[in-house]
Amino acid sequence: MGERIWTALPALLRVGPHNEEGARVTTFELFFDLVFVFSFTQVSRLMAEQHSAFGVLQGILVLGMLWQIWVSYGWLANETRADRGIVRFGFVLASVLIFVLALTIPAAFPEAGQSSALPLILLAGYFGSRLIHALLYLKAAGQSRDLRSAVIRNSLLPILPSATIFATGAVIGGPWQTWIWLGMFALDSFGVYLGTALSGWRVHSAGYWSERFGLIIILGLGESIVALGVGAAQVKLSPALIGGVALAVLVGFALWWAYFERMQPASEHILSQARGQERAKLAGDAYTYLHYPLLCGIIITALGIEVAIGHLGSDHPLGFYGAIALCGGISLYLAGTGFYWRRMAHWWVWTRFISGTIMLAIIPAIAAVPPFAALALATGAFVLLLAAEEAGHKWWKSRTAAATTG
């Protein structure tokens, strides 16, 4: 028995082959992503409990840290099969660390003078998962000197100094913690972005890459549905609640439409036509970085919906916090799709920026009416703006069709 285990050990320690063109996301990766659904829910909880602009900033920061982890493992799974050999065990261990991290998110920013234990546990999960990723990527890089150098420079070496500064911020606590974490995260992300210009990163399958990021958008939308269900379950069932839930689901469908109906399939084709470093740069800019505002928009919109659903029976105005979250989240998402498409197709889809500006302009009106009316007006405006864009379907379809065939 021991001899058989010893014989099988080398296979368990190997890394699988990289994804070939036409590869698709595995069920193991989908299972890994489920941990992030819970994490996104915890980010929404952090924002809701803080109920302030500063709390939203903290939520966006933690969401950025989660996004950095998810993207890193996405690049790794692109380089080698996530469900094979030692990489599979690394993914499982990372998922445990990320789940522990997620448990601490609502208490990630204690008041000055309170214990820093939970923020430090969060950082242990964050940097532990980053270290696992870097070590696995080094092994997956094999004999590629460029890729190994890129992993050491962009993933492994920054861990210790970054962890030291993050931990210092956690110990100091109070508002300084947020600003220290935000500054270090921005510096860390900017350093990785600059480092990619000299990197050996590569994207082996455009279909896999596009599907991977499409699925995280779906999971973000799924989190908003979960948050909606949790909020609705705490309110007495009434016609207003049923109507509010229906409107919220319609918002989720509209968010789906704005990305998946035209942009996602055309973008996959554009990515498949690119080769080598051009494809890697396009994947880095349009997906690694420009998909983050899309996820932020979804989570912030979900926060606005949760605020509205929680006060549907009230005759008092929704207020600016809920209105800014609801309309601002949609606006951020629309602008994010616009910038994403500009990077992919090299032309501006101005309707997205015009629609996003209109959503911002109606915030005072949304804030001044009761929650149900606010949700109805915001949903109606969003759907009408997308319908107006669709009404120019000949222009829109011709441009996306050109991108798909060109």
Side-chain angles (χ1 to χ4, degrees), residues 104-144:
T104 67
I105 288 175
F109 299 93
E111 297 291 333
Q114 294 182 344
S115 172
S116 60
L118 291 179
L120 290 173
I121 292 173
L122 183 151
L123 294 179
Y126 173 60
F127 286 104
S129 61
R130 284 180 57 178
L131 179 60
I132 292 169
H133 161 265
L135 295 176
L136 289 175
Y137 219 133
L138 272 178
K139 187 169 181 60
Q143 301 303 312
S144 174

mmCIF file of all heavy atoms in Angstrom, residues 104-144:
data_model
loop_
_atom_site.group_PDB
_atom_site.id
_atom_site.type_symbol
_atom_site.label_atom_id
_atom_site.label_comp_id
_atom_site.label_asym_id
_atom_site.label_seq_id
_atom_site.Cartn_x
_atom_site.Cartn_y
_atom_site.Cartn_z
ATOM 1 N N THR A 104 -14.202 37.315 8.053
ATOM 2 C CA THR A 104 -13.750 38.475 8.827
ATOM 3 C C THR A 104 -14.106 39.807 8.169
ATOM 4 O O THR A 104 -13.895 40.863 8.784
ATOM 5 C CB THR A 104 -12.223 38.429 9.026
ATOM 6 O OG1 THR A 104 -11.569 38.612 7.754
ATOM 7 C CG2 THR A 104 -11.781 37.105 9.616
ATOM 8 N N ILE A 105 -14.625 39.792 6.948
ATOM 9 C CA ILE A 105 -14.832 41.039 6.205
ATOM 10 C C ILE A 105 -15.716 42.052 6.945
ATOM 11 O O ILE A 105 -15.362 43.241 7.017
ATOM 12 C CB ILE A 105 -15.389 40.744 4.794
ATOM 13 C CG1 ILE A 105 -14.284 40.135 3.922
ATOM 14 C CG2 ILE A 105 -15.929 42.022 4.132
ATOM 15 C CD1 ILE A 105 -14.746 39.688 2.547
ATOM 16 N N PRO A 106 -16.862 41.654 7.512
ATOM 17 C CA PRO A 106 -17.690 42.667 8.188
ATOM 18 C C PRO A 106 -16.973 43.355 9.351
ATOM 19 O O PRO A 106 -17.358 44.460 9.744
ATOM 20 C CB PRO A 106 -18.900 41.851 8.678
ATOM 21 C CG PRO A 106 -18.966 40.678 7.758
ATOM 22 C CD PRO A 106 -17.538 40.340 7.462
ATOM 23 N N ALA A 107 -15.946 42.719 9.926
ATOM 24 C CA ALA A 107 -15.201 43.311 11.050
ATOM 25 C C ALA A 107 -13.784 43.694 10.632
ATOM 26 O O ALA A 107 -12.888 43.779 11.478
ATOM 27 C CB ALA A 107 -15.157 42.325 12.219
ATOM 28 N N ALA A 108 -13.591 43.945 9.345
ATOM 29 C CA ALA A 108 -12.241 44.207 8.834
ATOM 30 C C ALA A 108 -11.701 45.569 9.243
ATOM 31 O O ALA A 108 -10.488 45.789 9.228
ATOM 32 C CB ALA A 108 -12.235 44.094 7.315
ATOM 33 N N PHE A 109 -12.595 46.496 9.613
ATOM 34 C CA PHE A 109 -12.158 47.858 9.931
ATOM 35 C C PHE A 109 -12.718 48.268 11.295
ATOM 36 O O PHE A 109 -13.677 49.042 11.387
ATOM 37 C CB PHE A 109 -12.626 48.828 8.843
ATOM 38 C CG PHE A 109 -12.080 48.506 7.486
ATOM 39 C CD1 PHE A 109 -12.794 47.712 6.602
ATOM 40 C CD2 PHE A 109 -10.836 48.982 7.087
ATOM 41 C CE1 PHE A 109 -12.298 47.411 5.340
ATOM 42 C CE2 PHE A 109 -10.324 48.687 5.836
ATOM 43 C CZ PHE A 109 -11.052 47.893 4.960
ATOM 44 N N PRO A 110 -12.136 47.750 12.384
ATOM 45 C CA PRO A 110 -12.615 48.100 13.723
ATOM 46 C C PRO A 110 -12.314 49.556 14.067
ATOM 47 O O PRO A 110 -11.447 50.193 13.456
ATOM 48 C CB PRO A 110 -11.849 47.143 14.634
ATOM 49 C CG PRO A 110 -10.599 46.826 13.872
ATOM 50 C CD PRO A 110 -10.996 46.834 12.423
ATOM 51 N N GLU A 111 -13.035 50.056 15.033
ATOM 52 C CA GLU A 111 -12.794 51.417 15.498
ATOM 53 C C GLU A 111 -11.423 51.506 16.178
ATOM 54 O O GLU A 111 -10.864 50.505 16.619
ATOM 55 C CB GLU A 111 -13.890 51.826 16.496
ATOM 56 C CG GLU A 111 -15.294 51.857 15.907
ATOM 57 C CD GLU A 111 -15.479 52.975 14.903
ATOM 58 O OE1 GLU A 111 -14.766 53.996 15.022
ATOM 59 O OE2 GLU A 111 -16.311 52.830 13.985
ATOM 60 N N ALA A 112 -10.898 52.728 16.252
ATOM 61 C CA ALA A 112 -9.606 52.937 16.904
ATOM 62 C C ALA A 112 -9.658 52.437 18.347
ATOM 63 O O ALA A 112 -10.620 52.688 19.078
ATOM 64 C CB ALA A 112 -9.246 54.420 16.873
ATOM 65 N N GLY A 113 -8.634 51.722 18.740
ATOM 66 C CA GLY A 113 -8.571 51.190 20.088
ATOM 67 C C GLY A 113 -9.115 49.784 20.226
ATOM 68 O O GLY A 113 -8.860 49.115 21.230
ATOM 69 N N GLN A 114 -9.862 49.295 19.234
ATOM 70 C CA GLN A 114 -10.388 47.939 19.271
ATOM 71 C C GLN A 114 -9.333 46.951 18.780
ATOM 72 O O GLN A 114 -8.340 47.323 18.166
ATOM 73 C CB GLN A 114 -11.661 47.838 18.426
ATOM 74 C CG GLN A 114 -12.827 48.641 18.979
ATOM 75 C CD GLN A 114 -14.090 48.473 18.135
ATOM 76 O OE1 GLN A 114 -14.033 48.015 17.014
ATOM 77 N NE2 GLN A 114 -15.227 48.861 18.701
ATOM 78 N N SER A 115 -9.562 45.673 19.027
ATOM 79 C CA SER A 115 -8.613 44.632 18.671
ATOM 80 C C SER A 115 -8.407 44.560 17.146
ATOM 81 O O SER A 115 -9.356 44.703 16.367
ATOM 82 C CB SER A 115 -9.110 43.278 19.180
ATOM 83 O OG SER A 115 -8.293 42.232 18.693
ATOM 84 N N SER A 116 -7.166 44.326 16.763
ATOM 85 C CA SER A 116 -6.826 44.192 15.347
ATOM 86 C C SER A 116 -6.735 42.724 14.925
ATOM 87 O O SER A 116 -6.238 42.419 13.843
ATOM 88 C CB SER A 116 -5.491 44.885 15.059
ATOM 89 O OG SER A 116 -4.452 44.303 15.842
ATOM 90 N N ALA A 117 -7.237 41.812 15.761
ATOM 91 C CA ALA A 117 -7.095 40.379 15.487
ATOM 92 C C ALA A 117 -7.780 39.981 14.183
ATOM 93 O O ALA A 117 -7.197 39.274 13.351
ATOM 94 C CB ALA A 117 -7.647 39.568 16.658
ATOM 95 N N LEU A 118 -9.025 40.417 14.000
ATOM 96 C CA LEU A 118 -9.761 40.003 12.809
ATOM 97 C C LEU A 118 -9.173 40.569 11.518
ATOM 98 O O LEU A 118 -9.060 39.842 10.525
ATOM 99 C CB LEU A 118 -11.242 40.366 12.946
ATOM 100 C CG LEU A 118 -12.006 39.547 13.999
ATOM 101 C CD1 LEU A 118 -13.458 39.994 14.090
ATOM 102 C CD2 LEU A 118 -11.931 38.049 13.663
ATOM 103 N N PRO A 119 -8.786 41.863 11.481
ATOM 104 C CA PRO A 119 -8.101 42.339 10.270
ATOM 105 C C PRO A 119 -6.818 41.573 9.968
ATOM 106 O O PRO A 119 -6.506 41.324 8.800
ATOM 107 C CB PRO A 119 -7.800 43.808 10.597
ATOM 108 C CG PRO A 119 -8.826 44.193 11.599
ATOM 109 C CD PRO A 119 -9.074 42.966 12.411
ATOM 110 N N LEU A 120 -6.088 41.169 11.007
ATOM 111 C CA LEU A 120 -4.861 40.406 10.791
ATOM 112 C C LEU A 120 -5.173 39.004 10.268
ATOM 113 O O LEU A 120 -4.419 38.453 9.456
ATOM 114 C CB LEU A 120 -4.048 40.323 12.082
ATOM 115 C CG LEU A 120 -3.399 41.647 12.525
ATOM 116 C CD1 LEU A 120 -2.758 41.496 13.901
ATOM 117 C CD2 LEU A 120 -2.363 42.125 11.499
ATOM 118 N N ILE A 121 -6.287 38.415 10.720
ATOM 119 C CA ILE A 121 -6.709 37.119 10.176
ATOM 120 C C ILE A 121 -7.069 37.272 8.704
ATOM 121 O O ILE A 121 -6.726 36.426 7.863
ATOM 122 C CB ILE A 121 -7.891 36.552 10.984
ATOM 123 C CG1 ILE A 121 -7.429 36.170 12.390
ATOM 124 C CG2 ILE A 121 -8.498 35.341 10.277
ATOM 125 C CD1 ILE A 121 -8.549 35.750 13.315
ATOM 126 N N LEU A 122 -7.764 38.364 8.382
ATOM 127 C CA LEU A 122 -8.094 38.644 6.982
ATOM 128 C C LEU A 122 -6.820 38.715 6.144
ATOM 129 O O LEU A 122 -6.743 38.133 5.042
ATOM 130 C CB LEU A 122 -8.882 39.950 6.879
ATOM 131 C CG LEU A 122 -9.372 40.385 5.496
ATOM 132 C CD1 LEU A 122 -10.644 41.217 5.615
ATOM 133 C CD2 LEU A 122 -8.327 41.189 4.726
ATOM 134 N N LEU A 123 -5.810 39.418 6.649
ATOM 135 C CA LEU A 123 -4.556 39.568 5.908
ATOM 136 C C LEU A 123 -3.823 38.235 5.782
ATOM 137 O O LEU A 123 -3.172 37.975 4.762
ATOM 138 C CB LEU A 123 -3.660 40.594 6.600
ATOM 139 C CG LEU A 123 -4.178 42.031 6.593
ATOM 140 C CD1 LEU A 123 -3.205 42.943 7.343
ATOM 141 C CD2 LEU A 123 -4.367 42.539 5.167
ATOM 142 N N ALA A 124 -3.934 37.385 6.797
ATOM 143 C CA ALA A 124 -3.307 36.068 6.711
ATOM 144 C C ALA A 124 -3.908 35.257 5.565
ATOM 145 O O ALA A 124 -3.197 34.589 4.809
ATOM 146 C CB ALA A 124 -3.457 35.328 8.040
ATOM 147 N N GLY A 125 -5.230 35.325 5.436
ATOM 148 C CA GLY A 125 -5.884 34.635 4.330
ATOM 149 C C GLY A 125 -5.526 35.232 2.989
ATOM 150 O O GLY A 125 -5.297 34.516 2.007
ATOM 151 N N TYR A 126 -5.462 36.553 2.942
ATOM 152 C CA TYR A 126 -5.158 37.269 1.698
ATOM 153 C C TYR A 126 -3.745 36.964 1.211
ATOM 154 O O TYR A 126 -3.536 36.542 0.062
ATOM 155 C CB TYR A 126 -5.350 38.766 1.950
ATOM 156 C CG TYR A 126 -4.930 39.678 0.827
ATOM 157 C CD1 TYR A 126 -5.523 39.589 -0.436
ATOM 158 C CD2 TYR A 126 -3.965 40.662 1.027
ATOM 159 C CE1 TYR A 126 -5.148 40.446 -1.464
ATOM 160 C CE2 TYR A 126 -3.589 41.527 0.011
ATOM 161 C CZ TYR A 126 -4.187 41.417 -1.233
ATOM 162 O OH TYR A 126 -3.814 42.269 -2.249
ATOM 163 N N PHE A 127 -2.755 37.151 2.071
ATOM 164 C CA PHE A 127 -1.376 36.952 1.647
ATOM 165 C C PHE A 127 -1.010 35.470 1.577
ATOM 166 O O PHE A 127 -0.144 35.082 0.781
ATOM 167 C CB PHE A 127 -0.424 37.714 2.565
ATOM 168 C CG PHE A 127 -0.448 39.192 2.336
ATOM 169 C CD1 PHE A 127 -1.106 40.042 3.210
ATOM 170 C CD2 PHE A 127 0.160 39.739 1.216
ATOM 171 C CE1 PHE A 127 -1.152 41.417 2.986
ATOM 172 C CE2 PHE A 127 0.128 41.103 0.978
ATOM 173 C CZ PHE A 127 -0.533 41.941 1.859
ATOM 174 N N GLY A 128 -1.672 34.647 2.389
ATOM 175 C CA GLY A 128 -1.449 33.209 2.271
ATOM 176 C C GLY A 128 -1.883 32.685 0.915
ATOM 177 O O GLY A 128 -1.169 31.903 0.276
ATOM 178 N N SER A 129 -3.047 33.136 0.443
ATOM 179 C CA SER A 129 -3.530 32.697 -0.872
ATOM 180 C C SER A 129 -2.645 33.257 -1.980
ATOM 181 O O SER A 129 -2.410 32.588 -2.998
ATOM 182 C CB SER A 129 -4.990 33.129 -1.069
ATOM 183 O OG SER A 129 -5.118 34.533 -1.016
ATOM 184 N N ARG A 130 -2.110 34.466 -1.798
ATOM 185 C CA ARG A 130 -1.198 35.031 -2.793
ATOM 186 C C ARG A 130 0.112 34.248 -2.849
ATOM 187 O O ARG A 130 0.676 34.035 -3.934
ATOM 188 C CB ARG A 130 -0.920 36.502 -2.484
ATOM 189 C CG ARG A 130 -2.058 37.444 -2.848
ATOM 190 C CD ARG A 130 -1.746 38.896 -2.523
ATOM 191 N NE ARG A 130 -0.520 39.369 -3.175
ATOM 192 C CZ ARG A 130 -0.058 40.609 -3.067
ATOM 193 N NH1 ARG A 130 -0.725 41.504 -2.329
ATOM 194 N NH2 ARG A 130 1.055 40.970 -3.677
ATOM 195 N N LEU A 131 0.601 33.825 -1.698
ATOM 196 C CA LEU A 131 1.850 33.053 -1.662
ATOM 197 C C LEU A 131 1.663 31.696 -2.335
ATOM 198 O O LEU A 131 2.525 31.255 -3.120
ATOM 199 C CB LEU A 131 2.304 32.869 -0.209
ATOM 200 C CG LEU A 131 3.598 32.061 -0.008
ATOM 201 C CD1 LEU A 131 4.773 32.737 -0.714
ATOM 202 C CD2 LEU A 131 3.881 31.885 1.475
ATOM 203 N N ILE A 132 0.558 31.027 -2.048
ATOM 204 C CA ILE A 132 0.269 29.744 -2.702
ATOM 205 C C ILE A 132 0.231 29.918 -4.212
ATOM 206 O O ILE A 132 0.799 29.127 -4.973
ATOM 207 C CB ILE A 132 -1.065 29.168 -2.185
ATOM 208 C CG1 ILE A 132 -0.938 28.758 -0.724
ATOM 209 C CG2 ILE A 132 -1.514 27.974 -3.034
ATOM 210 C CD1 ILE A 132 -2.256 28.421 -0.065
ATOM 211 N N HIS A 133 -0.435 30.976 -4.667
ATOM 212 C CA HIS A 133 -0.530 31.241 -6.105
ATOM 213 C C HIS A 133 0.858 31.432 -6.720
ATOM 214 O O HIS A 133 1.174 30.863 -7.775
ATOM 215 C CB HIS A 133 -1.385 32.491 -6.344
ATOM 216 C CG HIS A 133 -1.195 33.102 -7.685
ATOM 217 N ND1 HIS A 133 -0.316 34.139 -7.924
ATOM 218 C CD2 HIS A 133 -1.742 32.807 -8.888
ATOM 219 C CE1 HIS A 133 -0.336 34.459 -9.197
ATOM 220 N NE2 HIS A 133 -1.191 33.669 -9.815
ATOM 221 N N ALA A 134 1.692 32.235 -6.078
ATOM 222 C CA ALA A 134 3.015 32.521 -6.631
ATOM 223 C C ALA A 134 3.864 31.254 -6.733
ATOM 224 O O ALA A 134 4.538 31.027 -7.752
ATOM 225 C CB ALA A 134 3.724 33.567 -5.771
ATOM 226 N N LEU A 135 3.823 30.409 -5.710
ATOM 227 C CA LEU A 135 4.613 29.182 -5.722
ATOM 228 C C LEU A 135 4.105 28.211 -6.786
ATOM 229 O O LEU A 135 4.899 27.558 -7.494
ATOM 230 C CB LEU A 135 4.598 28.530 -4.340
ATOM 231 C CG LEU A 135 5.266 29.341 -3.222
ATOM 232 C CD1 LEU A 135 5.095 28.646 -1.879
ATOM 233 C CD2 LEU A 135 6.747 29.566 -3.523
ATOM 234 N N LEU A 136 2.789 28.106 -6.911
ATOM 235 C CA LEU A 136 2.226 27.225 -7.932
ATOM 236 C C LEU A 136 2.553 27.729 -9.332
ATOM 237 O O LEU A 136 2.852 26.933 -10.241
ATOM 238 C CB LEU A 136 0.706 27.124 -7.766
ATOM 239 C CG LEU A 136 0.196 26.346 -6.553
ATOM 240 C CD1 LEU A 136 -1.315 26.450 -6.476
ATOM 241 C CD2 LEU A 136 0.622 24.886 -6.628
ATOM 242 N N TYR A 137 2.523 29.057 -9.494
ATOM 243 C CA TYR A 137 2.803 29.623 -10.814
ATOM 244 C C TYR A 137 4.276 29.405 -11.204
ATOM 245 O O TYR A 137 4.601 29.176 -12.374
ATOM 246 C CB TYR A 137 2.464 31.115 -10.842
ATOM 247 C CG TYR A 137 1.834 31.566 -12.143
ATOM 248 C CD1 TYR A 137 0.696 32.366 -12.131
ATOM 249 C CD2 TYR A 137 2.373 31.206 -13.367
ATOM 250 C CE1 TYR A 137 0.097 32.777 -13.311
ATOM 251 C CE2 TYR A 137 1.782 31.612 -14.553
ATOM 252 C CZ TYR A 137 0.648 32.397 -14.517
ATOM 253 O OH TYR A 137 0.068 32.792 -15.692
ATOM 254 N N LEU A 138 5.160 29.476 -10.212
ATOM 255 C CA LEU A 138 6.572 29.189 -10.488
ATOM 256 C C LEU A 138 6.737 27.772 -11.020
ATOM 257 O O LEU A 138 7.509 27.530 -11.960
ATOM 258 C CB LEU A 138 7.395 29.370 -9.215
ATOM 259 C CG LEU A 138 7.946 30.759 -8.921
ATOM 260 C CD1 LEU A 138 8.698 30.759 -7.595
ATOM 261 C CD2 LEU A 138 8.859 31.243 -10.046
ATOM 262 N N LYS A 139 6.027 26.835 -10.417
ATOM 263 C CA LYS A 139 6.110 25.449 -10.878
ATOM 264 C C LYS A 139 5.475 25.298 -12.258
ATOM 265 O O LYS A 139 6.000 24.596 -13.124
ATOM 266 C CB LYS A 139 5.447 24.512 -9.873
ATOM 267 C CG LYS A 139 5.650 23.033 -10.201
ATOM 268 C CD LYS A 139 5.222 22.161 -9.062
ATOM 269 C CE LYS A 139 5.453 20.676 -9.392
ATOM 270 N NZ LYS A 139 6.878 20.362 -9.662
ATOM 271 N N ALA A 140 4.350 25.971 -12.471
ATOM 272 C CA ALA A 140 3.659 25.885 -13.758
ATOM 273 C C ALA A 140 4.473 26.518 -14.882
ATOM 274 O O ALA A 140 4.338 26.140 -16.043
ATOM 275 C CB ALA A 140 2.284 26.559 -13.670
ATOM 276 N N ALA A 141 5.321 27.502 -14.530
ATOM 277 C CA ALA A 141 6.123 28.181 -15.554
ATOM 278 C C ALA A 141 7.141 27.261 -16.195
ATOM 279 O O ALA A 141 7.605 27.527 -17.314
ATOM 280 C CB ALA A 141 6.828 29.393 -14.937
ATOM 281 N N GLY A 142 7.503 26.163 -15.497
ATOM 282 C CA GLY A 142 8.418 25.198 -16.078
ATOM 283 C C GLY A 142 9.766 25.810 -16.421
ATOM 284 O O GLY A 142 10.396 26.475 -15.610
ATOM 285 N N GLN A 143 10.183 25.599 -17.664
ATOM 286 C CA GLN A 143 11.487 26.068 -18.118
ATOM 287 C C GLN A 143 11.438 27.439 -18.782
ATOM 288 O O GLN A 143 12.451 27.904 -19.304
ATOM 289 C CB GLN A 143 12.085 25.056 -19.102
ATOM 290 C CG GLN A 143 12.269 23.665 -18.519
ATOM 291 C CD GLN A 143 13.140 23.678 -17.269
ATOM 292 O OE1 GLN A 143 14.214 24.285 -17.265
ATOM 293 N NE2 GLN A 143 12.674 23.006 -16.217
ATOM 294 N N SER A 144 10.267 28.079 -18.772
ATOM 295 C CA SER A 144 10.135 29.394 -19.395
ATOM 296 C C SER A 144 10.789 30.457 -18.515
ATOM 297 O O SER A 144 10.252 30.835 -17.476
ATOM 298 C CB SER A 144 8.658 29.745 -19.624
ATOM 299 O OG SER A 144 8.525 31.072 -20.096
#
